[in-house]
Amino acid sequence: MQNRHPDQDVVVIGGGFYGAVIAVYLARQRGLKRVVLVEREPQLMTRASYNNQARVHNGFHYPRSFTTAYRSRVNLPRFVRDWPEAVKTDLTKLYAIARRNSKCTARQFERFCRNIGAEIQVADPGLHALFDPRLIEEVFLVEEYAFDSTKLAAWAERELSESGVQIRYQTRVTAISRSTDAALNVTVQRRDGILEQLSSRYVFNCSYSGLNQLTGDFPGVSTGLKQEITEMALMQMPPALDDLGVTVMDGPFFSMMPFPARGLHTLSHVRYTPHLHWNDQQGLDPYQKLSQYDRVSRVDRMIRDVGRYIPAMLDARYVESLFEIKTVLVKNESDDGRPILFEKHAELPGCYSVLGGKIDNVYDVLEKLDSEEFPTSQPGNSQEQ
């Protein structure tokens, strides 16, 4: 193994949305000149940043987690301001409350929305007519958007290039170890299998489901993680449901949202979207588990159940399914909260692990980073390029 690379200021592990935003932030806002982004895929944002419901949340999804809901309300306008070209705002978004087995009533949902400062209104009769009134108590018109992950990826490529961030594609970080000179040694494996070492002052582990799959002196995150293999069905909607987003809650819980990257809709269902789950642990690679999983779609069951509530859904055409690993904090399973995970590893000074539950949470990470100190120079080490 040869250490042929010059020392780095920062190595960011993972080329998803969070990794890209953090790398740009450290280079632009914090003045760190030598930033390397390591991504195991041949392109940015092709895994969890793409294989999801593409929703920019506005809080409505989380009636049992005030903090998550409120942070979404704060972050949505910022996200629209910062990435306007990637946000689809020309859609009609509905939240419908089920009559039976819902964990909140229509009145409770209205009160929750007032508490977080989210405007809603009762949908007009034409939109009500899409639902079976025997199963739906009330339908609300809300403001919520979708994002195009391919446009976010294009933004990331452009910004990373202009910020001087080096991207190493098809490269996987395997270990992080202490160094005698107070730096961190990052072992990377190239596509051809050759191992190399990068020496860096800081490391940001933004590998999402792979957070705990590093060896060396990396201790793993202290917060318990749950891994799920999930199925997101891509659908061609009938005219009655085109440019419409619907979430039915909050016991019978399913959503269909525009998926701008493909001009289709996603369909997810609380019962059928999760296929398999386990508690995360080192040595149990979730990506390997996904690659070996027999991806038998459950879309027929999704459509059959959703069609009871929204009859027009029975005319939708199934295109394909996106299977991916979803990672959540074990402690938030009961309330559906989606806080960020931001850990500084005391055993490895300069090493951080970051996990976001949804895309607008990125501002919570940036606020954490604002309070961290990242000196832009150190004795005897010029920062000039």
Side-chain angles (χ1 to χ4, degrees), residues 13 40 176 204-215 218-221 223 225 227 280-282 285-287 327 329 341-343 345 352-356:
I13 308 170
R40 63 191 296 167
I176 306 174
F204 281 85
N205 179 15
C206 306
S207 52
Y208 192 60
S209 298
L211 279 182
N212 282 330
Q213 301 310 309
L214 303 172
T215 59
F218 183 73
V221 300
T223 305
L225 303 178
Q227 307 283 19
D280 188 52
Q281 56 185 284
Q282 282 189 312
D285 187 343
Y287 296 114
T327 304
L329 307 186
L341 170 68
F342 186 92
E343 286 195 14
H345 299 290
Y352 300 76
S353 288
V354 178
L355 174 72

Side-chain angles (χ1 to χ4, degrees), residues 28-236:
R28 283 195 185 276
Q29 269 68 54
R30 304 306 296 271
L32 296 169
K33 301 298 183 184
R34 298 165 301 173
V35 182
V36 176
L37 178 67
V38 181
E39 168 54 39
R40 63 191 296 167
E41 303 294 337
Q43 294 177 295
L44 298 176
M45 294 180 57
T46 59
R47 296 302 303 257
S49 295
Y50 178 88
N51 297 322
N52 63 73
Q53 202 162 48
R55 183 199 308 265
V56 186
H57 283 273
N58 202 6
F60 305 108
H61 223 60
Y62 303 102
R64 294 187 301 283
S65 178
F66 177 84
T67 300
T68 297
Y70 182 74
R71 290 301 302 176
S72 293
R73 285 282 303 121
V74 171
N75 290 335
L76 176 134
R78 301 172 69 183
F79 192 92
V80 174
R81 177 199 67 202
D82 291 341
W83 289 281
E85 72 283 358
V87 179
K88 177 180 174 63
T89 58
D90 58 337
L91 65 105
T92 300
K93 184 62 209 293
L94 305 174
Y95 272 76
I97 310 300
R99 286 193 184 276
R100 305 189 189 102
N101 302 318
S102 179
K103 297 176 182 177
C104 75
T105 65
R107 181 173 294 181
Q108 289 170 334
F109 184 71
E110 287 183 284
R111 183 166 62 244
F112 156 73
C113 292
R114 285 197 301 271
N115 288 342
I116 65 170
E119 293 185 8
I120 63 171
Q121 63 186 76
V122 174
D124 63 42
L127 294 172
H128 264 89
L130 294 170
F131 299 85
D132 186 333
R134 296 169 299 178
L135 299 179
I136 295 296
E137 178 189 0
E138 188 56 275
V139 182
F140 298 100
L141 180 65
V142 306
E143 184 180 70
E144 200 169 62
Y145 305 134
F147 65 87
D148 187 330
S149 59
T150 61
K151 292 183 178 179
L152 287 178
W155 167 87
E157 290 180 8
R158 182 177 66 251
E159 289 294 311
L160 290 165
S161 175
E162 293 178 0
S163 302
V165 176
Q166 177 191 356
I167 308 175
R168 299 194 57 178
Y169 291 110
Q170 295 182 289
T171 303
R172 186 168 65 93
V173 173
T174 61
I176 306 174
S177 303
R178 302 181 191 89
S179 174
T180 54
D181 59 1
L184 295 167
N185 286 330
V186 182
T187 304
V188 301
Q189 183 177 34
R190 301 186 333 203
R191 183 184 182 187
D192 57 14
I194 293 178
L195 296 178
E196 298 179 2
Q197 270 199 350
L198 305 177
S199 179
S200 181
R201 295 163 60 199
Y202 305 104
V203 174
F204 281 85
N205 179 15
C206 306
S207 52
Y208 192 60
S209 298
L211 279 182
N212 282 330
Q213 301 310 309
L214 303 172
T215 59
D217 296 319
F218 183 73
V221 300
S222 61
T223 305
L225 303 178
K226 176 184 174 183
Q227 307 283 19
E228 295 180 347
I229 292 178
T230 62
E231 175 187 5
M232 197 69 65
L234 293 181
M235 312 292 298
Q236 183 71 58

Side-chain angles (χ1 to χ4, degrees), residues 350-364:
C351 182
Y352 300 76
S353 288
V354 178
L355 174 72
K358 49 196 182 62
I359 201 161
D360 50 275
N361 272 359
V362 73
Y363 294 102
D364 300 345

